Amino acid sequence: MLPWRLFLLLSLLSLSFSEETPTSHGLPRPLIIEYPTTAKELDEEQVRLQCDSWRFAVEANNVNPWKTIPQECADYVRDYMMGKGYGFDIDRVSKEAAVYAGSVELSGDGKDVWIFDIDETLLSNLPYYAEHGFGLEVFDPVEFDKWVDKAEALGIQPSLKLYELVLGLGFKVFLLTGRSEKQRSVTIENLINAGFQNWDKLIVRASEDHSKLAVVYKLEKRDEMVREGYRILGNSGDQWSDLLGSSMSIRSFKLPNPMYYIP
């Protein structure tokens, strides 16, 4: 009788040279079993936990890109955006930004800049998204432009407090938005009606910028600021594309937005 070690070696060798070997490496593929789970199979608590997890992943930029919110999270996102949770989160971001802004020693040469995005950062489009499933529908730029032209977006009050603080501290305030040049006048009207005044620059998309991803368009505009000698010390936006790329600010502040993603 062969020793057990020799027997095992011969068995493995015979497997390696067998014509029925499952792969060219002589080892079977790992067995992966997926158990699909639908929203109908989840109870209320499980749906909430799933959507909590999804929102966390979205805010951390671990889920990207995405076009719509998950079907089962429609009520969850609505309740979050219309309830206290969103308000608390917006307030916390603004307060943390205010603490940082107050800690910065400005140069006094007029070159220290704080950048603000507009939509879902200074102005809230919740009335529009309430009619479009809070992100459950695929974004329709034509319908959204009709809403923008009404100049009825709501001011986000914690952001207004931060905005006024930053101005009072002596920062230059640049508004950098993905809105188009043709929407400049209605955007100014909307901002003023919502309490935002005295900014230094309002930067909108020119015709040559329309084909660019938001992250490319915005980093290019920040690059221009830096070439002009500005120091970007703070940046507030609800999208990662507002904040990432070259010429990033010393501190960036991401406002919550589980309704849509802009690359």
Side-chain angles (χ1 to χ4, degrees):
M1 178 180 294
L2 292 172
W4 68 268
R5 289 186 178 85
L6 182 57
F7 177 79
L8 178 59
L9 177 60
L10 291 174
S11 298
L12 289 174
L13 287 172
S14 65
L15 176 62
S16 298
F17 292 102
S18 170
E19 293 181 358
E20 297 179 359
T21 301
T23 70
S24 61
H25 300 289
L27 297 174
R29 292 180 298 173
L31 179 61
I32 300 175
I33 303 176
E34 295 184 0
Y35 298 96
T37 303
T38 64
K40 293 181 180 179
E41 296 172 342
L42 301 176
D43 61 31
E44 185 175 339
E45 182 182 9
Q46 288 175 316
V47 169
R48 180 182 61 78
L49 290 172
Q50 290 265 29
C51 295
D52 271 339
S53 177
W54 174 81
R55 184 168 67 86
F56 176 84
V58 162
E59 296 298 355
N61 204 28
N62 291 328
V63 176
N64 71 76
W66 52 278
K67 291 185 177 181
T68 64
I69 66 174
Q71 179 74 39
E72 64 270 23
C73 295
D75 291 343
Y76 172 91
V77 173
R78 178 201 63 205
D79 293 345
Y80 170 75
M81 295 300 300
M82 301 301 290
K84 294 181 179 179
Y86 176 66
F88 276 123
D89 289 345
I90 286 282
D91 195 52
R92 180 174 293 277
V93 174
S94 298
K95 285 180 177 177
E96 291 296 325
V99 170
Y100 163 70
S103 72
V104 175
E105 185 175 348
L106 302 184
S107 64
D109 62 0
K111 292 292 188 177
D112 296 316
V113 172
W114 195 292
I115 300 174
F116 288 94
D117 171 54
I118 292 181
D119 292 300
E120 272 58 65
T121 300
L122 299 182
L123 299 178
S124 169
N125 299 294
L126 269 178
Y128 171 83
Y129 284 101
E131 295 184 358
H132 295 271
F134 295 94
L136 195 60
E137 297 179 13
V138 175
F139 180 71
D140 186 334
V142 174
E143 287 301 310
F144 184 72
D145 284 350
K146 291 178 182 178
W147 157 255
V148 169
D149 289 341
K150 295 179 180 180
E152 295 178 357
L154 308 173
I156 298 175
Q157 293 308 303
S159 293
L160 178 57
K161 290 180 181 179
L162 174 64
Y163 178 95
E164 292 175 338
L165 171 70
V166 165
L167 276 175
L169 289 171
F171 286 86
K172 291 285 186 181
V173 170
F174 292 173
L175 309 184
L176 177 54
T177 176
R179 293 185 177 195
S180 67
E181 180 62 46
K182 68 179 182 180
Q183 294 170 323
R184 179 182 290 274
S185 61
V186 294
T187 299
I188 292 172
E189 176 188 351
N190 201 158
L191 285 166
I192 292 174
N193 289 342
F196 298 96
Q197 302 181 42
N198 302 320
W199 57 82
D200 294 279
K201 287 187 180 182
L202 170 59
I203 304 168
V204 295
R205 281 187 188 257
S207 57
E208 62 268 22
D209 296 321
H210 284 296
S211 62
K212 298 174 182 176
L213 292 176
V215 68
V216 174
Y217 155 68
K218 293 201 170 185
L219 71 83
E220 287 180 350
K221 295 305 178 184
R222 293 197 305 270
D223 287 346
E224 290 177 12
M225 296 174 198
V226 171
R227 286 196 296 270
E228 292 170 3
Y230 291 105
R231 293 176 293 275
I232 305 172
L233 302 184
N235 189 2
S236 298
D238 68 294
Q239 299 291 314
W240 284 102
S241 54
D242 298 329
L243 311 174
L244 298 178
S246 57
S247 301
M248 289 175 61
S249 62
I250 301 300
R251 285 288 304 274
S252 297
F253 296 90
K254 169 72 169 66
L255 284 77
N257 183 358
M259 296 187 299
Y260 59 84
Y261 173 87
I262 299 177

